[in-house]
Each structure stands twice: as structure tokens, then as C-alpha cells.
Amino acid sequence: MSFESNKPLRILVVDDHSLIYDGLSSCLAPYPDMQLVGFVEDGLSVYQECLSLQPDLVFMDFRLPKMNGIEVVRQLKNRWPEILIIMLTAVAEEKTAREALDIGANGYLLKNSPKSTLFAAIKTVIRGKTFIDPSLDEQQIHAFDTETHDLPTLTHREKQVLGLICEGLRNRDMAEALVISLKTVESHRTNLMRKLNAHNVAELISWADRLGLR
């Protein structure tokens, strides 16, 4: 998935609102060297679409159905370290930007940014540099200590299940969404309750917020 200057930059958009795709399509339409190749509305489908479409650059929302953007970035970077990922989000928080950059995102761009900032983000990450939206405090982002040694460690699947619990899915619906058995979902749910010392759904949702999974 390496970008070559003599070929169009293949771009995948991941967002649960089609208006974002429409807006990017309108902005990039005059530029033949940038090609929108696909649109994905939930986190679980991104990996398969990347296998199929082979994008060079992914615009990734932070809050997605079924799997949040941070987990998707981690998954993609593990498989394709060279893929470029720009978080395109409404979350204007320096700590969130720090978390995204720490797990491999190449840029962090706010959805309300002007077109000039969008193109600056693309040019910056193509050149191998990190882009941070100028509306954010870059010094504060660099100053954040992101160590989480005092927080429980969850497996990748436990994080997925926790995210789906936050969306209000039943165990059977989660099993179908994750393509695993109902018994496996129940096991993950039990492990989550134990690890997080949670006694109900409200406490699980509170932990999801603390762990940045919503």
C-alpha cells in the first residue's frame, strides 16, 4: 500500500455518516491524483475493505459502530504498517489525539476544519510527517503522559464486546456481529465484569469511557 507520486492516492473513508464521504468527495473531485475508492460505516468492516480495496490513505472517524476507531487503527497498523491513517473526527481533545497518534495514526484532523487544512493534512502525512490539527494545542499533546499502568488490560475481543455492550446490543446480537458463539460472548462478558469489578451495564459503560473505548 505504498503511495507512488505517479499514481493516484487511493483513499478509503470510514465514518458512520455518509455526509462526511459526500463532503470529501466534493473537495477531492477536482484532483485526479486523489481517488476515493470506498466508504465504510462501521469499524468491523474496515479490515476486509482494506484487503479488497488496498487504500494508501484512510480517513478514520473516532467513534464508530461495532468497533471504535482506535481499535481499527491498531488492527490496520498491525497488518499494514505503511498504511497512512488520518483521524477525521469531531473530538477536539488533545488527550484523544495523543492516544490516536500513540497507536499509529499519522494525523489528527477535526471535521470542522477548512478545506486548506484538509489538504495540508494529506500533504503532511504523504511526506512521512505527523499532522495535528492547528485548532489543537500541539504542545499539550506532546506533553501528555499516556501510560495506563493503573488501568485494567483487556484483550482485543474483550474491547470489542465492551464496545457493543455500550451500543446496547444483546449477547445474541453481539455473537452475530462478531461471528462467534453465544457462549463465547457470555464468557467475555463474565471476564469483563471480573476484570473491571463491574456489577452492571452502567458500570461497564463507565469503564468504557475511562478506557477510551467510546
Side-chain angles (χ1 to χ4, degrees):
M1 291 189 181
S2 60
F3 174 66
E4 298 177 21
S5 57
N6 61 333
K7 294 182 180 180
L9 183 72
R10 296 173 59 80
I11 300 173
L12 176 67
V13 180
V14 182
D15 198 288
D16 58 342
H17 295 97
S18 60
L19 282 175
I20 299 301
Y21 177 83
D22 294 340
L24 285 171
S25 180
S26 176
C27 288
L28 301 179
Y31 303 94
D33 55 340
M34 289 183 276
Q35 178 184 6
L36 288 183
V37 297
F39 173 55
V40 185
E41 295 182 278
D42 70 84
L44 275 180
S45 304
V46 179
Y47 185 89
Q48 190 60 43
E49 288 299 299
C50 285
L51 281 174
S52 174
L53 299 172
Q54 296 289 295
D56 303 297
L57 168 65
V58 179
F59 279 108
M60 181 81 63
D61 194 7
F62 192 85
R63 291 169 177 162
L64 295 167
K66 300 183 181 179
M67 184 191 293
N68 72 70
I70 289 294
E71 286 302 303
V72 179
V73 172
R74 184 179 286 112
Q75 184 185 56
L76 296 186
K77 284 293 187 175
N78 284 340
R79 176 61 176 83
W80 298 285
E82 72 278 17
I83 196 171
L84 300 174
I85 301 176
I86 296 175
M87 305 303 293
L88 182 58
T89 176
V91 183
E93 299 173 357
E94 284 77 8
K95 186 174 183 180
T96 302
R98 177 74 266 170
E99 182 183 4
L101 298 176
D102 281 347
I103 55 91
N106 303 90
Y108 197 91
L109 176 66
L110 299 182
K111 288 181 176 179
N112 61 359
S113 295
K115 187 187 299 186
S116 59
T117 304
L118 167 67
F119 288 119
I122 294 173
K123 290 179 180 179
T124 300
V125 301
I126 286 175
R127 292 170 181 165
K129 298 180 180 180
T130 299
F131 180 85
I132 297 173
D133 195 289
S135 297
L136 298 177
D137 185 337
E138 188 168 348
Q139 286 189 332
Q140 185 178 351
I141 290 173
H142 290 309
F144 267 117
D145 178 3
T146 58
E147 290 188 19
T148 56
H149 58 275
D150 58 331
L151 296 177
T153 300
L154 304 182
T155 67
H156 174 66
R157 185 66 85 186
E158 286 169 349
K159 290 177 181 178
Q160 287 182 313
V161 170
L162 183 55
L164 294 179
I165 289 172
C166 292
E167 292 183 28
L169 270 67
R170 299 173 303 170
N171 287 356
R172 190 172 301 280
D173 296 327
M174 286 188 270
E176 182 177 346
L178 299 174
V179 196
I180 57 178
S181 71
L182 178 60
K183 185 176 180 180
T184 300
V185 170
E186 292 170 348
S187 176
H188 286 310
R189 191 163 189 147
T190 299
N191 288 339
L192 283 168
M193 302 287 275
R194 175 180 54 80
K195 285 185 176 182
L196 303 177
N197 192 28
H199 303 92
N200 51 51
V201 171
E203 291 182 3
L204 286 174
I205 292 174
S206 176
W207 268 106
D209 288 332
R210 289 181 62 185
L211 295 170
L213 298 177
R214 285 217 304 163

